[in-house]
Amino acid sequence: MTMSKKHPKPEELVAIDYQPRRRDWMDPHVEFRKGTFNYSANPKSMEYLGLPFVRKWQPTEDDWKLPPNWKEIILNGLRERIDRFRSLRIFMDICVRCGACADKCHFYIGSGDPKNMPVLRAELLRSVYRKDFTTAGKILGKLAGGRELTIPVLKEWFYYFYQCTECRRCSVFCPYGIDTAEITIIGRELLNLVGIGIDWITTPAANCFRTGNHLGIQPHGFKDSVDFAADDLEDITGIKVNPSVNRKGAEVLFVVPSADYFGDPHYFGFLGYLALFHEIGLDYTFSAFASEGGNFGLFHSHEMMKRLNAKIYAEAKRLGVKYIIGGECGHMWRVLHQYMDTMNGPADFLEVPKSPVTGTVFENARSTKMIHIAEFTADLIKHRKLKLDPHRNDNHRITFHDSCNPARAMGLLEEPRYILKNVCNHFYEMPENTIREQTFCCGSGSGLGTDENLEMRLRGGFPRANAVRYVHENHGVNLLVCICAIDKATLPGLMDFWVPGVSVGGLHELVGNALVMKGEKERDNDFRGTPLPGKEEKVHV
Amino acid sequence: MKILYSLLAVSISIAFAWVGTASGGLHYLFGVVFPAVAVFLFLFGIVYRVVRWARSPVPFHITTTCGQQKSLDWIKSSPLDNPSSTLGVIGRMALEVFFFRSLFRNTKMELKNGGKLVYGSAKYLWLAGLVFHWSFLIIVLRHFRFFLEPTPVFVGVLQNLDGFFQVGVPVLFMSDILILGALSFLFFRRIVTPQLRYISLISDYFPLLLIIAIAATGVLMRYFLKTDLVAVKQLMLGLFSVSPIVPEAISPLFYIHLFLVSVLLAYFPASKLVHMAGIFLSPTRNLSNNSRMKRHINPWNAPVKVHTYEEWEDEFRELIKGAGIPLEKE
Ligand code: HEM
Ligand code: SF4
Ligand code: SF4
């Protein structure tokens, strides 16, 4: 398919051919077509992080300026990881190529490219594993499905490991739970060993390492954003909230993805947090150093993930808080739920989280000492500690997008739904095969959300958008609610492209809108500045 | 091509055993040596594979959750699809191993005109897979009447169940029909579906064809070209008691059957068939989702260079001060 114009049209993208090509997949071949890949990492960022083989190169160039012993480095890296990760070794060995995972990947559905079937994505690495690490492959080579690691194979890895959002949908359907995300994560790790990474991951990681957040916002900038939000909230509600930064002795450290205080529509949810915590009188503080819960290190390597995440416990300890609450973010919660305690723990200097308002002890976070804001808020609502007026959200007909990681690496499914049903009156689920553990990725996760990769993102987001279109057409849904910073950043564009007329919002934006605060003035507008239901005329007089 | 190679490999095995025993007089080789070597390779190979897997640690707790987590008391969790306890994990694994739970979720995506995606139910793979595996298990267990004297009781029970319909003489076993049907489905599915054919390797066709050949030769012996079962049992008992005898009267067909089984056993540990053992060790399935409740230990927890608060404060001290944010060191 050729894409002549800069911006493809929906009719063009939807003409997908699922017929595999004639060329055998074992014959490596990749074409770096504009719009379907990411640019290489900025040398400055690589240097700052101390990454190896810093140089200028681009995927479209013939010569990637690899170190002379690149192959040895990668094969040694693979050997090391086979010995370190049972997941990898098992996943390399037991796939039966039943194909159950094939049409479960949003990138395959949206592109028809057979190498985007999770099974083939994994085979790109598995074939090299067979060639160099199994007896049959060493002797029989291609007959046993083995493939020599060559530069074209390496280029294929780069292309297809960055066309996987590490969403784990394939893993749900695989009879052995083979998780292609795990293979992609390790595959990217291998590429980074020879200095092949993408800028949209490496630069945020470098920023985060230096300033504490991906956007590179420095301490005073962070403080300004928080103060600015407090002022905005006062304009809307008439209530002055007083959030603190780096305050020692607070009960709770609150960590959010940085987009929450800088991005649109994230910011409206940030106002929601501030309103909520003020209303219940929570004794909490932000940290200008742990000013990022998101972790682009996860998309780079296990080591980078650990490096970036260290600050969260470090700050909790320094500030002397009792426990930590985390905001709305998908991959951030993958790290917090499944990696943090192991990597950066033990958190024995913290206490088991206990809601100061309801007295609920969060046994599910007994060891990590970190809870999800949706767990916290759902508990408040259940105990009727919040006065909510769902009519204030009546302008919205809402559906909920389960973000990949909270759904498939945590199981946070009911908490957000419970909250939603209490803060709005019009909630509609998307079709069954597209929600909860079967949810479809936004198509831009795992560091792929760049403009240069737009076509691939629109393709990858197609199944998600399609399900939204269904509720848009059948129930008039006009707001897609989610609990992930990447979703909030990328779904608006995806909606404009595939389902115009649907906007994107956060869960705590709706909580904040519905929350009736003690002593608030009569609100005319919601957090976005649009008139609340019934207030439309007033604004226009 | 790949199908052809697999077909060739199975055919050569058959021809080899036939020629060897029908005219070569190599009964001892095919009746004793090959089976013994195959059993050894099978056992040694499986143990080797499992030990290798087990030696790689599970550094992170990467459960794939397929239902509601256990969090607040009043929210109903899914103990089997998202287990938080060992008991739940056992339940989840049992569902996977006995009923192929995950495969049961299978759907088929279709892109309709006008760009609408629909996901239809697609249970045939699950059904055929389940029928094949269960039939295989039942058939293997039934074979114990040749391996043990006296024949174990469960074999009789299985035979009665399996031959429940009492059709034909000798009684037709349902598992024989089902395994051949299911295997044929699995094989043709691979050839007919373009995507599957695209991903299939020799090592995908070969085991299917090999097992089809084993089942077919078995069926031939049982229902059509009778073999001297007393002699077969003598041979097997001899093998299992490590004092082999080679009775005269057994037909080449039996040796073909036995040789194909030997090939399967020897091939097993070196192939994808190790999924039988691997499924139990898959970390996305066999870990409970309790990573926030209980600390999971990574034995090699890699040391990394972190950016400390002190370094951060040092770099931004003036800005922090200017913004009125508290400092550690003024
Ligand atoms: C714990 C025991 C086992 C479990 C849970 C298990 C599970 C599965 C599952 C879920 C599949 C994918 C679906 C399918 O294609 O049928 C599969 C495929 C397969 N299994 Fe097993 N299996 C086990 C043991 C065995 C054994 C002992 C054999 C035989 C030698 C075997 C041979 C095969 C073959 C040949 C396939 C591929 C079928 C195809 O190509 O379509 N499995 N197994
Ligand atoms: S579903 Fe699992 S076993 Fe089947 S092809 Fe995909 S990864 Fe392999
Ligand atoms: S993890 Fe998600 S993006 Fe990656 S192969 Fe699996 S389904 Fe596709």
Side-chain angles (χ1 to χ4, degrees), chain A residues 175-176, chain B residues 97 100 103 129 132-133 190 208 268 272-273 275-276:
Chain A
Y176 318 119
Chain B
V97 170
F100 300 2
L103 207 54
F132 155 57
H133 283 83
R190 267 196 197 283
L208 283 173
F268 199 101
K272 70 174 193 180
L273 299 178
H275 66 269
M276 176 180 76

Side-chain angles (χ1 to χ4, degrees), chain B residues 79-80 83-94 288:
Chain B
L80 289 172
S84 62
S85 66
T86 309
L87 201 67
V89 168
I90 293 172
R92 185 184 203 188
M93 289 307 295
S288 65

